[in-house]
Amino acid sequence: MCWPTVIIFTTDASLETMNTPYYILDEQRLRNNLQLIRRVAQQTDSEWILAFKAFALWKTFPIFREYIRSTTASSLWEARLAFEEFGAKSHTYSPAYKDDEFDEIAACSSHLTFNSLSQYERLHTRAKDCSIGIRINPEYSEVETLLYNPCAPGTRFGISADQLPSVLPADIRGFHCHCHCENGSDVFQRTLKHIEDKFGRWLPQIEWINFGGGHLLTRRDYDIDLLVELMAGFHERWPHLKVIFEPGSAFAWQTGELVASVIDIVEDNHIKTAILDVSFTCHMPDCLEMPYFPAVRGAVHTDEAVDGSASCYRLGGNSCLSGDFMGYWQFDRELHVGDRIVFEDMIHYTTVKTNTFNGITHPSIAIRRLDGSEETLRRYTYEDYRDRMD
């Protein structure tokens, strides 16, 4: 759910000396995003909260707390992370709540959204200390990749307008709607019209509306002025409603890299593959799921192998999955074992979706502080892999 870049032959001294593989988050770039989000929140009279599904590096929460007050969770463990590590109850939504987890989830939540009326009816009395919401389905989304389209026909997410009673239950305080994926404010403009057209008659009955994630505010081409204009109009039409956004990518967009090394180069059928000490399926799963091509510093992506080129390679992961590769890439020069490849913009979504398939060495996590120093936040060991099956 990101649009990264791969760097090769970096001149950053820190990237030359640390053992690969590792993710490295740049604190200054993170703060730049947070400052922008806080400013836009003030300009639009709305609250912007961090979605853990995209970024859950809790050792950076002290930085986040300087700029935002809340987070959003999708499970018991995320709700506990909000309460115990961020220090505030979460805005929580799940497609379905397990009965034996629900009371603990509610205890960790300030806002709790139900995905269906049936779940609401069974559980709402056990969430009396939460501001209760329901997820609505506007039946409109411009997300092109079906895997990420929450409004596709047959979706399991949310309640369509024809399923709602004309008068909402008295304890339903809000609507939650999520139908974006790294989109701009122009998409939100068109989506907002569908939301108001379909659900406008219920808006006087609620206190808040959560427009979900996928609003890529920190991307350079995002039209912030349009968003400010849209929110000014929305507040004029619905002055009683508190507005919430919960993006994931926007907070950590372009804030860090995944650094890998070439550990072998193989060739078959005139296709050369540089095998790395990371894996796409383990450490960059969105590259295969989305799919998208990461950008590579010092290289240009091509649709097919360049005939006769000595410096055109697939990038291959170090797992047993046959499709664990991404390519083709035309580099500045031939690659050699030991060369470092740096995948940019690999902090959001990637760090939370990694796995230990094949027991491949899991990348460490580091942060580059404001003074340029690097600190390792987590180094994974064999025991981490072993104990998952304990």
Side-chain angles (χ1 to χ4, degrees):
M1 308 259 311
C2 40
W3 308 100
T5 306
V6 182
I7 314 169
I8 186 160
F9 317 133
T10 175
T11 58
D12 189 321
S14 65
L15 302 187
E16 295 287 353
T17 58
M18 294 178 67
N19 290 332
T20 63
Y22 62 91
Y23 300 97
I24 185 161
L25 170 71
D26 189 280
E27 182 178 347
Q28 184 60 67
R29 283 185 267 167
L30 177 63
R31 286 184 178 274
N32 291 344
N33 285 352
L34 287 163
Q35 289 167 3
L36 175 61
I37 289 171
R38 181 175 61 183
R39 175 171 62 82
V40 172
Q42 294 168 346
Q43 290 177 320
T44 58
D45 189 20
S46 59
E47 183 174 16
W48 290 66
I49 64 181
L50 171 66
F52 287 156
K53 65 181 179 181
F55 184 90
L57 187 54
W58 57 270
K59 289 183 179 178
T60 65
F61 288 174
I63 299 172
F64 278 81
R65 286 196 296 266
E66 295 179 31
Y67 301 90
I68 64 172
R69 296 176 298 176
S70 300
T71 60
T72 179
S74 303
S75 63
L76 171 58
W77 290 356
E78 285 190 345
R80 284 190 57 182
L81 191 70
F83 187 62
E84 298 175 11
E85 303 298 340
F86 193 85
K89 292 185 175 183
S90 67
H91 294 234
T92 305
Y93 159 80
S94 176
Y97 297 104
K98 293 181 62 180
D99 184 80
D100 61 345
E101 295 181 346
F102 185 77
D103 291 338
E104 190 174 359
I105 288 175
C108 294
S109 304
S110 61
H111 296 64
L112 193 147
T113 296
F114 290 100
N115 186 61
S116 67
L117 290 175
S118 59
Q119 281 248 310
Y120 163 80
E121 290 165 359
R122 288 197 302 273
L123 297 170
H124 74 103
T125 58
R126 293 163 59 181
K128 57 182 181 298
D129 294 330
C130 303
S131 183
I132 294 176
I134 54 173
R135 178 161 175 168
I136 57 173
N137 174 16
E139 302 176 83
Y140 177 84
S141 174
E142 296 187 23
V143 177
E144 296 179 356
T145 303
L146 193 60
L147 182 66
Y148 294 103
N149 186 345
C151 298
T155 182
R156 68 188 194 282
F157 297 133
I159 304 164
S160 57
D162 61 352
Q163 296 176 313
L164 284 179
S166 57
V167 178
L168 297 173
D171 61 348
I172 290 180
R173 306 296 185 194
F175 280 171
H176 177 280
C177 178
H178 177 79
C179 45
H180 293 82
C181 178
E182 298 187 350
N183 293 131
S185 54
D186 57 324
V187 177
F188 180 55
Q189 181 179 36
R190 294 187 288 273
T191 306
L192 186 60
K193 184 179 187 307
H194 283 262
I195 295 171
E196 291 188 81
D197 286 348
K198 286 184 174 291
F199 295 95
R201 57 178 164 150
W202 288 284
L203 296 186
Q205 301 179 39
I206 60 175
E207 300 172 357
W208 53 266
I209 185 165
N210 184 330
F211 289 119
H215 307 270
L216 196 44
L217 177 66
T218 49
R219 189 171 60 195
R220 288 184 179 179
D221 62 351
Y222 190 94
D223 190 342
I224 293 175
D225 291 338
L226 176 58
L227 178 66
V228 173
E229 178 185 334
L230 291 173
M231 284 295 94
F234 187 84
H235 286 307
E236 184 176 343
R237 294 188 296 277
W238 313 103
H240 69 291
L241 284 180
K242 177 181 179 179
V243 175
I244 303 162
F245 294 89
E246 51 175 47
S249 297
F251 281 96
W253 183 257
Q254 296 286 351
T255 58
E257 303 85 31
L258 171 59
V259 184
S261 294
V262 177
I263 54 177
D264 197 14
I265 297 174
V266 298
E267 184 170 353
D268 179 71
N269 232 12
H270 307 293
I271 295 173
K272 291 192 295 184
T273 299
I275 301 179
L276 311 178
D277 58 358
V278 294
S279 160
F280 290 97
T281 191
C282 296
H283 309 132
M284 296 168 277
D286 277 341
C287 291
L288 303 182
E289 292 177 4
M290 186 70 173
Y292 69 88
F293 288 103
V296 181
R297 189 184 302 172
V300 177
H301 172 255
T302 65
D303 292 332
E304 56 187 14
V306 179
D307 289 341
S309 173
S311 56
C312 184
Y313 303 84
R314 278 180 174 173
L315 297 178
N318 195 23
S319 80
C320 294
L321 177 68
S322 297
D324 188 5
F325 64 85
M326 187 68 54
Y328 300 89
W329 300 95
Q330 177 66 48
F331 284 89
D332 295 343
R333 63 174 176 82
E334 292 186 57
L335 300 183
H336 301 92
V337 171
D339 282 339
R340 294 207 166 190
I341 308 278
V342 181
F343 296 82
E344 286 192 86
D345 199 20
M346 279 292 174
I347 300 298
H348 57 93
Y349 278 100
T350 297
T351 52
V352 297
K353 295 179 72 171
T354 58
N355 61 73
T356 58
F357 173 60
N358 267 181
I360 297 170
T361 301
H362 196 285
S364 300
I365 301 176
I367 186 170
R368 182 180 298 111
R369 296 297 186 182
L370 298 178
D371 63 2
S373 62
E374 284 83 30
E375 174 187 350
T376 299
L377 301 179
R378 178 64 188 272
R379 179 174 288 109
Y380 293 89
T381 65
Y382 160 71
E383 286 74 23
D384 293 309
Y385 166 70
R386 180 198 65 190
D387 291 349
R388 288 184 71 249
M389 303 298 172
D390 188 359

